[in-house]
């Protein structure tokens, strides 16, 4: 991994963030521009075979989460993961605060990621939540939310590490919105290699006749039809 903090900041800055925020408002997810090169994606995916870099491995079938596997990094993150997380946080922070204001919720997130993580640790959420996900043919991920305690950052990012349509087919990123007194609405997004997808951790502001309400959302992955799909999950709160 050769991605520096300066390179990560430059790549993250290449996204049109005002447009991304508008798309997040509408759909609960929105793509970024390119964050990693194809070579960096391959290098990062290859780390999956180094178990010493991870604190635990989760077999999704065993826990009835779906089928496939993912691994949580230790706090000693690869430089590329740490750099991207640090560069993305200040871009997502204004969106998080705006959503909180519309929903009438507290916005406890400080300007610095380090301060926020200190607050997570003080609340007992002191385990890394950064993950590498690995799906083979036939694997899938059930709809869920990545909420690990009372300290929650409302947005997270997934980065595709393999080329959709070339390295694998199927495996689209799914989001389902549970609409009050109506049937659920779903979206499916094919992750582009090296590009991120910003999505809501648990809900998004939805305008109603009475003002703003929280539209509950969950995410997952559709069945991989062929090949091997790897992805990096960047979460901005730690786990308990």
């Amino acid at each position: 991994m050769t991605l520096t903090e300066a390179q990560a900041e430059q790549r993250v800055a290449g996204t049109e963030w005002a447009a991304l925020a508008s798309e997040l408002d509408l759909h609960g997810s929105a793509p970024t521009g390119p964050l990693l090169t194809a070579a960096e994606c391959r290098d990062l995916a290859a780390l999956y075979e180094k178990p010493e870099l991870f604190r635990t491995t989760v077999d999704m079938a065993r826990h009835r989460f779906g089928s496939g596997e993912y691994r949580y990094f230790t706090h000693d993150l690869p430089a590329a993961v740490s750099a991207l997380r640090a560069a993305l946080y200040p871009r997502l922070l204004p969106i998080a605060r705006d959503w909180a204001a519309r929903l009438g919720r507290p916005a406890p997130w400080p300007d610095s990621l380090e301060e926020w993580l200190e607050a997570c640790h003080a609340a007992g959420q002191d385990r890394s939540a950064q993950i590498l996900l690995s799906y083979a043919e036939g694997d899938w991920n059930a709809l869920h939310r990545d909420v690990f305690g009372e300290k929650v950052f409302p947005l997270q990012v997934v980065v595709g590490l393999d080329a959709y349509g070339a390295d694998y087919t199927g495996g689209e990123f799914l989001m389902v919105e549970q609409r009050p007194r109506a049937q659920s609405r779903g979206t499916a997004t094919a992750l582009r290699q090296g590009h991120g997808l910003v999505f809501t951790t648990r809900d998004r502001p939805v305008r109603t006749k009475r003002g703003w309400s929280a539209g509950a959302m969950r995410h997952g992955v559709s069945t991989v039809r062929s090949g091997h799909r790897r992805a990096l999950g960047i979460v901005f709160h730690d786990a308990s």
Side-chain angles (χ1 to χ4, degrees):
M1 291 288 111
T2 58
L3 184 68
T4 66
E5 291 185 2
Q7 288 173 321
E9 290 175 1
Q10 182 179 33
R11 294 180 193 179
V12 167
T15 291
E16 177 48 64
W17 286 96
L20 183 144
S22 296
E23 189 166 345
L24 268 175
D25 276 352
L26 290 174
H27 303 296
S29 66
T32 73
L35 302 177
L36 296 170
T37 66
E40 289 165 346
C41 287
R42 289 192 294 270
D43 288 346
L44 191 54
L47 297 182
Y48 199 86
E49 305 307 321
K50 297 183 178 182
E52 66 273 14
L53 299 178
F54 303 92
R55 64 173 178 84
T56 192
T57 299
V58 177
D59 179 340
M60 287 189 276
R62 178 183 176 188
H63 298 281
R64 303 185 70 182
F65 295 162
S67 176
E69 193 176 84
Y70 57 87
R71 288 179 165 171
Y72 286 104
F73 282 106
T74 68
H75 281 302
D76 188 15
L77 295 173
V81 179
S82 179
L84 284 177
R85 193 186 192 202
L88 286 162
Y89 179 82
R91 298 287 181 169
L92 298 175
L93 184 59
I95 302 173
R97 288 172 171 169
D98 175 58
W99 280 17
R102 280 189 264 172
L103 292 172
R105 292 174 175 171
W109 315 290
D111 290 343
S112 93
L113 176 61
E114 291 75 15
E115 288 179 85
W116 169 238
L117 294 178
E118 287 176 4
C120 290
H121 296 176
Q125 294 176 219
D126 57 2
R127 296 192 298 168
S128 171
Q130 315 314 302
I131 59 175
L132 276 184
L133 304 107
S134 178
Y135 301 87
E137 183 176 337
D139 288 341
W140 57 283
N141 196 346
L143 296 172
H144 65 284
R145 294 170 174 164
D146 296 316
V147 176
F148 308 117
E150 66 175 29
K151 300 293 185 182
V152 179
F153 193 79
L155 299 164
Q156 55 196 96
V157 181
V158 61
V159 182
L161 300 181
D162 293 294
Y164 179 81
D167 296 323
Y168 70 97
T169 60
E172 293 84 4
F173 183 89
L174 303 175
M175 292 214 75
V176 174
E177 179 179 2
Q178 296 170 284
R179 299 186 300 161
R181 298 177 299 282
Q183 293 181 327
S184 297
R185 181 181 71 161
T187 59
T189 304
L191 297 183
R192 297 180 62 186
Q193 186 180 40
H195 291 239
L197 184 73
V198 181
F199 63 98
T200 177
T201 301
R202 58 183 178 185
D203 52 31
R204 69 180 181 91
V206 177
R207 187 182 290 278
T208 69
K209 294 180 179 179
R210 298 181 179 180
W212 293 97
S213 65
M217 304 192 74
R218 298 180 184 273
H219 64 275
V221 175
S222 71
T223 302
V224 174
R225 295 182 178 272
S226 66
H228 194 184
R229 176 196 188 274
R230 278 83 54 90
L232 167 68
I234 301 176
V235 183
F236 299 92
H237 49 266
D238 280 345
S240 56

